[in-house]
Amino acid sequence: MSRTPPEASPEGPETPTAPTTDVLVVGGGIIGLVTAWRSAQRGLSVAVVDPEPGGGAAQVAAGMLAAVTELHYGEHTLLALNVESARRYPDFAAELSEATGQDLGYRACGTLAVALDADDRAHLRELHALQTKSGLESEWLSGRDCRRLEPMLAPGVRGGLRVDGDHQIDPRRLASALVTACERSGVTFHRTWAERLSVVRDRARGVVLADGTELAAGQVVLAAGSRSGQLAGVPDEVLPPVRPVKGQVLRLTVPKRYAPFLSRTVRAVVRGSHVYLVPRVNGELVVGATSEELGWDTTVTAGGVYELLRDAHELVPGITELPLTETRAGLRPGSPDNAPLLGPTTLPGLHLATGHYRNGVLLTPVTGDAMAHVLATGELPEEASPFTPRRFGAAASVEQPA
Ligand SMILES: Cc1cc2nc3c(=O)[nH]c(=O)nc-3n(C[C@H](O)[C@H](O)[C@H](O)COP(=O)(O)OP(=O)(O)OC[C@H]3O[C@@H](n4cnc5c(N)ncnc54)[C@H](O)[C@@H]3O)c2cc1C
């Protein structure tokens, strides 16, 4: 579809306007970008508003594609979406790589979830039973077998789950490739903040930018990550109940003489805290992550770094030899049921693509497909229908952190 001329502005003729697009995406994190790219591929004219497209949580995230090892009790509906997105990942990554000429660091390396004491072992056994009951593939290994697979593991490892289907991607590369793919598909970028949603005659019509420019669009997608509940002008009853959940992450470098340090993602629960080590092909080793409910604070704290290093060291003692190259904190867009909000709201013209919490990287392919489908056809595909924002109804006005 081609660009159409601007509509008359409700603010009067002096308000600066830009050309109207079919779709306007607020937020150029991986979720907004994949929505924009897939929509442009369907022939829709698309604009993205973000001061720093490709930034956001993907700059911090580990990039585990962990449909199986991230399984939690009570999240079976989400499991189906996670599994579907994991299934689409190889083709998605190949297509994006080909469209951009960029290597995404997609690595089909599998994951090993291990237990360090009797409690962890019992917990992991339960998880294994749940995975089996859910039809997921995972194999129970003795501590010795775990160490045979990953010799750098601590001698005290009591057992573990080998999950060959949980892979990884480098989220920074993914975000950068999505920006390029959008540019090549004709998506327009407005590198600034959206200040407010424009609602005219009970329909979302576009946004007003920080400089007062008004952007009009046939449909608006709110994909502003943990800030999705903050956009002015969005009526209370459709404001997404999304909150920031802070995660601190460390990046270490494995010198060539130590390679291969780990050959797959290794994770565990140590004293109730989740810790994982994600080895990239380029020698980066990502250690994460804390989970903290502290509003929009992204301070890296001594306590956070200490806990991650302490727990990771218990799992893989040799990490203390590695250079610590980066510490960073990011914000997961958390929702009340830990699942995303996808598709139309009760305000005509306004869609949501947010609340992906700890699985946003994994859910990128299925989100892009679902959002482009609903924007092009008006119908949310079956796999995405349980994630309609309408499931929260009046609960949408959940209290936001200070
Ligand atoms: C520590 C950590 C580890 C993680 N590990 C994993 C993992 O291993 N696997 C996995 O699948 N997921 C992981 N995640 C989760 C994943 O990173 C997120 O779910 C995902 O990146 C969210 O993407 P998003 O585009 O919805 O939001 P964001 O990345 O938050 O992007 C939102 C964008 O919106 C923009 N924006 C906000 N407000 C406005 C506005 N008013 N106007 C214009 N632009 C605006 C921001 O600038 C930002 O660029 C992790 C997250 C963290 C923090």
Side-chain angles (χ1 to χ4, degrees):
M1 248 169 261
S2 58
R3 282 169 216 288
T4 48
E7 288 177 6
S9 161
E11 301 294 322
E14 63 284 350
T15 308
T17 56
T20 300
T21 50
D22 296 323
V23 176
L24 179 71
V25 183
V26 178
I30 49 176
I31 295 303
L33 290 170
V34 77
T35 298
W37 179 44
R38 288 308 203 192
S39 300
Q41 284 181 318
R42 285 192 169 230
L44 299 171
S45 60
V46 185
V48 172
V49 181
D50 193 317
E52 200 191 336
Q59 293 302 313
V60 182
M64 292 179 295
L65 308 175
V68 179
T69 42
E70 280 283 329
L71 175 60
H72 286 64
Y73 286 101
E75 291 186 2
H76 269 85
T77 315
L78 177 59
L79 170 70
L81 194 69
N82 286 345
V83 167
E84 180 55 26
S85 206
R87 193 185 66 76
R88 295 183 194 187
Y89 236 105
D91 288 347
F92 170 80
E95 184 185 345
L96 183 56
S97 215
E98 170 144 4
T100 59
Q102 295 178 24
D103 172 10
L104 310 179
Y106 177 69
R107 192 174 177 197
C109 59
T111 296
L112 185 63
V114 301
L116 287 168
D117 61 27
D119 283 352
D120 290 349
R121 194 168 180 276
H123 171 79
L124 215 50
R125 281 281 196 195
E126 278 177 32
L127 181 63
H128 186 217
L130 182 63
Q131 288 167 344
T132 309
K133 210 170 117 195
S134 309
L136 302 170
E137 278 182 32
S138 67
E139 182 190 359
W140 181 262
L141 298 182
S142 67
R144 179 179 301 205
D145 285 342
C146 290
R147 283 193 303 283
R148 205 169 282 145
L149 271 187
E150 295 297 340
M152 296 305 286
L153 280 175
V157 164
R158 305 283 289 265
L161 283 177
R162 176 178 176 163
V163 179
D164 286 343
D166 276 1
H167 304 316
Q168 60 153 304
I169 195 165
D170 185 335
R172 291 177 176 174
R173 290 172 181 237
L174 171 66
S176 157
L178 283 170
V179 171
T180 304
C182 283
E183 285 168 347
R184 292 189 178 172
S185 308
V187 172
T188 307
F189 283 99
H190 299 272
R191 288 179 160 79
T192 184
W193 294 102
E195 288 280 330
R196 127 177 319 272
L197 181 76
S198 309
V199 180
V200 183
R201 288 189 289 279
D202 293 331
R203 185 180 173 91
R205 296 284 175 184
V207 296
V208 179
L209 302 182
D211 68 358
T213 303
E214 181 147 335
L215 300 181
Q219 305 185 79
V220 177
V221 180
L222 185 49
S226 61
R227 295 204 171 271
S228 297
Q230 298 286 293
L231 188 66
V234 179
D236 279 354
E237 60 279 12
V238 290
L239 209 56
V242 172
R243 67 186 198 286
V245 181
K246 176 179 173 181
Q248 301 189 47
V249 162
L250 316 176
R251 283 178 163 79
L252 292 80
T253 304
V254 178
K256 283 212 169 66
R257 66 181 182 282
Y258 291 140
F261 190 78
L262 293 174
S263 61
R264 73 202 68 222
T265 296
V266 170
R267 55 189 302 165
V269 179
V270 182
R271 285 179 292 271
S273 301
H274 291 265
V275 66
Y276 49 74
L277 295 91
V278 183
R280 304 244 195 268
V281 178
N282 65 4
E284 185 177 83
L285 181 68
V286 183
V287 177
T290 65
S291 186
E292 304 163 74
E293 304 265 356
L294 291 172
W296 281 275
D297 170 63
T298 51
T299 314
V300 175
T301 62
V305 174
Y306 166 72
E307 282 169 27
L308 288 173
L309 284 176
R310 180 196 61 196
D311 295 349
H313 172 254
E314 256 183 69
L315 207 57
V316 180
I319 62 150
T320 49
E321 302 296 319
L322 306 181
L324 174 60
T325 34
E326 192 183 324
T327 59
R328 198 147 167 187
L331 301 171
R332 307 171 184 90
S335 75
D337 59 4
N338 300 335
L341 294 88
L342 303 174
T345 65
T346 50
L347 177 68
L350 180 67
H351 295 256
L352 300 182
T354 187
H356 291 69
Y357 191 35
R358 53 176 198 269
N359 291 313
V361 182
L362 169 62
L363 289 172
T364 295
V366 81
T367 298
D369 294 347
M371 291 307 298
H373 188 85
V374 70
L375 289 163
T377 67
E379 297 292 327
L380 202 54
E382 197 184 326
E383 68 275 11
S385 59
F387 304 97
T388 168
R390 294 172 183 172
R391 73 189 185 275
F392 291 119
S397 48
V398 151
E399 207 177 299
Q400 295 283 326

